[in-house]
mmCIF file of all heavy atoms in Angstrom:
data_model
loop_
_atom_site.group_PDB
_atom_site.id
_atom_site.type_symbol
_atom_site.label_atom_id
_atom_site.label_comp_id
_atom_site.label_asym_id
_atom_site.label_seq_id
_atom_site.Cartn_x
_atom_site.Cartn_y
_atom_site.Cartn_z
ATOM 1 N N ILE A 677 62.496 -27.302 109.614
ATOM 2 C CA ILE A 677 61.395 -27.226 110.580
ATOM 3 C C ILE A 677 60.857 -25.909 110.366
ATOM 4 O O ILE A 677 61.441 -24.881 110.046
ATOM 5 C CB ILE A 677 62.002 -27.131 112.021
ATOM 6 C CG1 ILE A 677 62.737 -28.471 112.310
ATOM 7 C CG2 ILE A 677 60.933 -26.901 113.110
ATOM 8 C CD1 ILE A 677 63.699 -28.308 113.569
ATOM 9 N N GLY A 678 59.502 -25.785 110.485
ATOM 10 C CA GLY A 678 58.873 -24.379 110.137
ATOM 11 C C GLY A 678 57.451 -24.360 110.579
ATOM 12 O O GLY A 678 56.775 -25.418 110.938
ATOM 13 N N THR A 679 56.891 -23.101 110.704
ATOM 14 C CA THR A 679 55.643 -22.944 110.846
ATOM 15 C C THR A 679 54.678 -22.973 109.600
ATOM 16 O O THR A 679 55.373 -23.343 108.579
ATOM 17 C CB THR A 679 55.296 -21.450 111.518
ATOM 18 O OG1 THR A 679 56.054 -20.512 110.652
ATOM 19 C CG2 THR A 679 56.024 -21.279 112.798
ATOM 20 N N GLN A 680 53.507 -22.561 109.574
ATOM 21 C CA GLN A 680 52.634 -22.591 108.381
ATOM 22 C C GLN A 680 53.325 -21.977 107.114
ATOM 23 O O GLN A 680 52.957 -22.283 105.984
ATOM 24 C CB GLN A 680 51.455 -21.729 108.616
ATOM 25 C CG GLN A 680 51.613 -20.355 108.921
ATOM 26 C CD GLN A 680 50.418 -19.617 109.385
ATOM 27 O OE1 GLN A 680 49.445 -20.358 109.823
ATOM 28 N NE2 GLN A 680 50.404 -18.383 109.141
ATOM 29 N N MET A 681 54.257 -21.176 107.347
ATOM 30 C CA MET A 681 55.216 -20.658 106.261
ATOM 31 C C MET A 681 55.509 -21.697 105.298
ATOM 32 O O MET A 681 55.807 -21.414 104.121
ATOM 33 C CB MET A 681 56.462 -20.231 106.817
ATOM 34 C CG MET A 681 56.749 -18.730 106.573
ATOM 35 S SD MET A 681 58.254 -18.308 107.328
ATOM 36 C CE MET A 681 57.954 -16.641 107.680
ATOM 37 N N ILE A 682 55.874 -22.897 105.823
ATOM 38 C CA ILE A 682 56.308 -24.063 104.915
ATOM 39 C C ILE A 682 55.316 -25.026 104.474
ATOM 40 O O ILE A 682 55.599 -25.954 103.813
ATOM 41 C CB ILE A 682 57.561 -24.668 105.504
ATOM 42 C CG1 ILE A 682 57.249 -25.293 106.823
ATOM 43 C CG2 ILE A 682 58.702 -23.804 105.690
ATOM 44 C CD1 ILE A 682 58.196 -26.386 107.287
ATOM 45 N N ALA A 683 54.169 -24.732 104.888
ATOM 46 C CA ALA A 683 53.049 -25.703 104.655
ATOM 47 C C ALA A 683 52.402 -25.779 103.289
ATOM 48 O O ALA A 683 51.806 -26.826 102.792
ATOM 49 C CB ALA A 683 51.918 -25.650 105.715
ATOM 50 N N LYS A 684 52.520 -24.635 102.661
ATOM 51 C CA LYS A 684 51.817 -24.484 101.409
ATOM 52 C C LYS A 684 52.643 -24.146 100.134
ATOM 53 O O LYS A 684 53.585 -23.456 100.325
ATOM 54 C CB LYS A 684 50.746 -23.375 101.593
ATOM 55 C CG LYS A 684 49.609 -23.795 102.439
ATOM 56 C CD LYS A 684 48.940 -22.542 103.121
ATOM 57 C CE LYS A 684 49.927 -22.149 104.135
ATOM 58 N NZ LYS A 684 49.545 -21.010 104.858
ATOM 59 N N GLY A 685 52.200 -24.502 99.017
ATOM 60 C CA GLY A 685 52.657 -24.093 97.777
ATOM 61 C C GLY A 685 54.135 -24.584 97.446
ATOM 62 O O GLY A 685 54.477 -24.457 96.249
ATOM 63 N N LEU A 686 54.951 -24.975 98.424
ATOM 64 C CA LEU A 686 56.316 -25.310 98.030
ATOM 65 C C LEU A 686 56.422 -26.557 97.307
ATOM 66 O O LEU A 686 55.605 -27.616 97.545
ATOM 67 C CB LEU A 686 57.185 -25.327 99.276
ATOM 68 C CG LEU A 686 57.271 -23.886 100.024
ATOM 69 C CD1 LEU A 686 58.019 -24.113 101.302
ATOM 70 C CD2 LEU A 686 57.857 -22.919 99.168
ATOM 71 N N ASP A 687 57.454 -26.676 96.356
ATOM 72 C CA ASP A 687 57.469 -28.065 95.486
ATOM 73 C C ASP A 687 58.960 -28.408 95.689
ATOM 74 O O ASP A 687 59.757 -27.872 94.894
ATOM 75 C CB ASP A 687 57.016 -27.516 94.191
ATOM 76 C CG ASP A 687 57.076 -28.674 93.254
ATOM 77 O OD1 ASP A 687 56.763 -29.797 93.634
ATOM 78 O OD2 ASP A 687 57.283 -28.526 91.969
ATOM 79 N N PHE A 688 59.279 -29.332 96.408
ATOM 80 C CA PHE A 688 60.713 -29.944 96.546
ATOM 81 C C PHE A 688 60.605 -31.369 96.338
ATOM 82 O O PHE A 688 60.063 -32.171 97.204
ATOM 83 C CB PHE A 688 61.270 -29.614 97.903
ATOM 84 C CG PHE A 688 61.458 -28.213 98.198
ATOM 85 C CD1 PHE A 688 60.633 -27.540 99.251
ATOM 86 C CD2 PHE A 688 62.303 -27.412 97.578
ATOM 87 C CE1 PHE A 688 60.644 -26.209 99.494
ATOM 88 C CE2 PHE A 688 62.479 -25.992 97.928
ATOM 89 C CZ PHE A 688 61.558 -25.346 98.775
#
Side-chain angles (χ1 to χ4, degrees):
I677 301 163
T679 51
Q680 61 185 26
M681 239 181 205
I682 59 169
K684 286 148 287 176
L686 301 174
D687 184 29
F688 298 110

